[in-house]
Amino acid sequence: MNKKTILSMVLGFASLLPASAQDEWFIEAGGGIQTTFSRDASKLDFGKRLTPLYTIGVGKWFNSLYAVRLQVGGYSLNGMSTSEGLYLRDHKTDGMIYGTYDPVINHVTVNPDGTYRHYLRYVNAHADVMFSLAHLLFHKDGKFDVLPAVGMGYARAFAYRGSASTNSLTANFSVAAKYRVLKSLDVNFEVSSALMPDHFDGRITGKTYEPTLGVSLGLSYRFGSKKAAKPANSSRCLKRCGKRSRKAVVDTVYMVEKIIERPVYQDRIVEKQVTKKQEPYRLGSLSFAFASANPRSDQKTVFANIADYLKNNPKARIRLDGYADKATGSERTNLMLSIRRTDKVRNILIEQYGIAPSRIEAQAVGCTAQPYDDNELNRVVIVYALP
């Protein structure tokens, strides 16, 4: 699902909402603290994981029960990283390429156990549907209300202290407690969470989602006074909603046709190599069985030849490109399989042949590129000598 599809769904949903005499807009702003639950974040002291959170939003109550809100929030997140996993390089120069080297280590202090701080700067814009529990449960409008909300959004992590910029779709959840202090002014305390995809922090670890959790205190200002809503099933509303509904369906189908042309994980998988003046040359290739991350047993000669090359050329470095055949499995499954294959080859060269880790780069291609016409041959890690 891409950004255009999300926007189409939000606009389509808004067009289906019933019109009412309660035409009440509101704006809100708040600040607080947040933390992330990314892989290895627990290795950082909890106090150091807490970072500032700022939010600003605008919305509209369509009747006494629900509202639609557009909120923008974020600022910074602190996590921990290790040498395990794959890291996104700067896409402005290298394309969307994942490798085992994390540029963040050039900007932070690495601890004796191999862990190091991972800083992020980000913003998350999301559209939410909010509900009033006071009206839903008690059918009254008092000074206090609890407002759960759910929505979808878009997060942008910016290039900062070695972290590459990324784009992600998010799922957002929150619960806000509001207390009316003036006729048009509310104080609100909100607990919010966003589910970020695995690649949000520029690191692939195998987790499906990496959630955040934040708490904030803020103010909401309401324009206009609440009036009784018109019945949602009036003939006038049904006629108007019917027209909008048909338009929303057409728009949604159009966007679905668009996303068929673009794979879901296109923004996180290698499409092509960046051309350089001196091209790497192929040293050899290591083949794998179907769905296996272990090289075939007859590949020892290839390993020995690669190790001899590195020992005879002390300054030489190599790169491992991991592939999977596209005839079987989904793109995500094949991406993770190619990650495991490059990790396995890299570990064998380090542990069994004594090659220094700094001389080996690794990147996962998955199945978006196929070096051979035969599907079985694409279950491979190709080894290149770097210029």
Side-chain angles (χ1 to χ4, degrees):
M1 185 178 294
N2 58 23
K3 291 178 285 185
K4 292 182 178 180
T5 306
I6 296 291
L7 180 59
S8 176
M9 292 173 61
V10 171
L11 294 177
F13 177 77
S15 68
L16 294 174
L17 294 174
S20 72
Q22 182 184 328
D23 190 15
E24 183 173 305
W25 290 82
F26 65 91
I27 57 173
E28 60 182 19
I33 56 175
Q34 61 181 336
T35 186
T36 179
F37 295 91
S38 60
R39 179 65 63 87
D40 298 318
S42 60
K43 297 179 180 179
L44 181 65
D45 293 340
F46 184 75
K48 295 180 179 180
R49 290 169 59 186
L50 300 179
T51 53
L53 169 65
Y54 303 101
T55 63
I56 186 170
V58 59
K60 180 180 180 181
W61 284 97
F62 287 87
N63 59 33
S64 300
L65 291 178
Y66 59 89
V68 171
R69 174 185 67 178
L70 178 63
Q71 187 181 74
V72 180
Y75 178 60
S76 68
L77 290 171
N78 287 346
M80 288 290 278
S81 289
T82 67
S83 58
E84 298 178 359
L86 292 180
Y87 301 88
L88 179 64
R89 300 177 183 177
D90 184 0
H91 67 85
K92 293 182 180 179
T93 58
D94 292 330
M96 299 300 291
I97 298 177
Y98 290 90
T100 55
Y101 178 76
D102 187 2
V104 172
I105 64 176
N106 297 325
H107 303 268
V108 298
T109 300
V110 180
N111 299 320
D113 61 356
T115 61
Y116 51 92
R117 186 84 68 88
H118 203 139
Y119 298 88
L120 289 175
R121 294 291 185 270
Y122 82 102
V123 63
N124 182 17
H126 49 96
D128 305 323
V129 179
M130 305 175 64
F131 301 92
S132 168
L133 291 186
H135 285 87
L136 183 64
L137 301 178
F138 306 107
H139 307 286
K140 65 178 182 179
D141 183 16
K143 289 188 174 183
F144 181 78
D145 200 355
V146 176
L147 307 173
V150 61
M152 298 187 68
Y154 162 78
R156 168 78 172 180
F158 302 97
Y160 179 74
R161 300 189 70 171
S163 297
S165 59
T166 60
N167 302 294
S168 309
L169 297 180
T170 64
N172 298 83
F173 310 90
S174 66
V175 177
K178 292 184 177 288
Y179 183 79
R180 183 175 303 171
V181 293
L182 297 173
K183 180 179 179 181
S184 300
L185 188 66
D186 297 338
V187 175
N188 54 282
F189 176 79
E190 185 168 8
V191 179
S192 59
S193 177
L195 296 183
M196 306 293 190
D198 189 18
H199 72 279
F200 168 72
D201 58 357
R203 181 188 182 199
I204 294 290
T205 62
K207 292 185 67 175
T208 304
Y209 297 104
E210 296 186 340
T212 65
L213 180 66
V215 293
S216 60
L217 184 67
L219 298 173
S220 295
Y221 182 81
R222 293 171 284 108
F223 298 91
S225 58
K226 291 188 175 182
K227 301 177 183 179
K230 291 184 180 180
N233 59 350
S234 65
S235 59
R236 181 182 177 183
C237 177
L238 287 175
K239 183 177 181 180
R240 178 169 57 250
C241 291
K243 292 181 180 179
R244 294 182 178 179
S245 177
R246 288 192 294 272
K247 184 178 184 301
V249 171
V250 172
D251 289 344
T252 302
V253 172
Y254 173 75
M255 295 313 302
V256 170
E257 291 175 352
K258 286 294 184 182
I259 66 171
I260 291 175
E261 301 172 359
R262 182 173 183 265
V264 175
Y265 294 96
Q266 184 177 350
D267 63 340
R268 57 187 290 187
I269 302 173
V270 177
E271 290 187 351
K272 61 180 180 180
Q273 290 291 336
V274 177
T275 303
K276 298 181 180 179
K277 293 182 180 179
Q278 293 180 319
E279 291 290 341
Y281 61 90
R282 184 180 300 188
L283 283 179
S285 59
L286 297 152
S287 60
F288 296 76
F290 171 72
S292 174
N294 295 314
R296 293 184 182 273
S297 58
D298 58 355
Q299 305 293 292
K300 293 183 179 180
T301 302
V302 181
F303 276 107
N305 290 336
I306 295 170
D308 288 342
Y309 166 79
L310 291 171
K311 291 176 181 178
N312 293 331
N313 298 274
K315 294 184 178 181
R317 297 169 62 249
I318 61 173
R319 188 185 74 222
L320 311 176
D321 288 3
Y323 296 88
D325 70 278
K326 65 180 180 181
T328 56
S330 64
E331 286 191 3
R332 177 177 176 80
T333 299
N334 286 329
L335 175 63
M336 301 309 299
L337 178 58
S338 65
I339 291 173
R340 294 196 300 271
R341 286 172 173 171
T342 54
D343 282 348
K344 186 66 176 181
V345 173
R346 187 171 184 271
N347 290 336
I348 290 175
L349 290 172
I350 294 171
E351 296 170 4
Q352 298 184 21
Y353 293 90
I355 306 301
S358 60
R359 303 180 67 188
I360 307 173
E361 290 187 13
Q363 62 185 32
V365 182
C367 63
T368 57
Q370 299 284 268
Y372 302 106
D373 294 332
D374 189 336
N375 282 323
E376 293 187 4
L377 296 179
N378 290 317
R379 302 162 188 165
V380 67
V381 169
I382 299 178
V383 184
Y384 290 94
L386 298 178

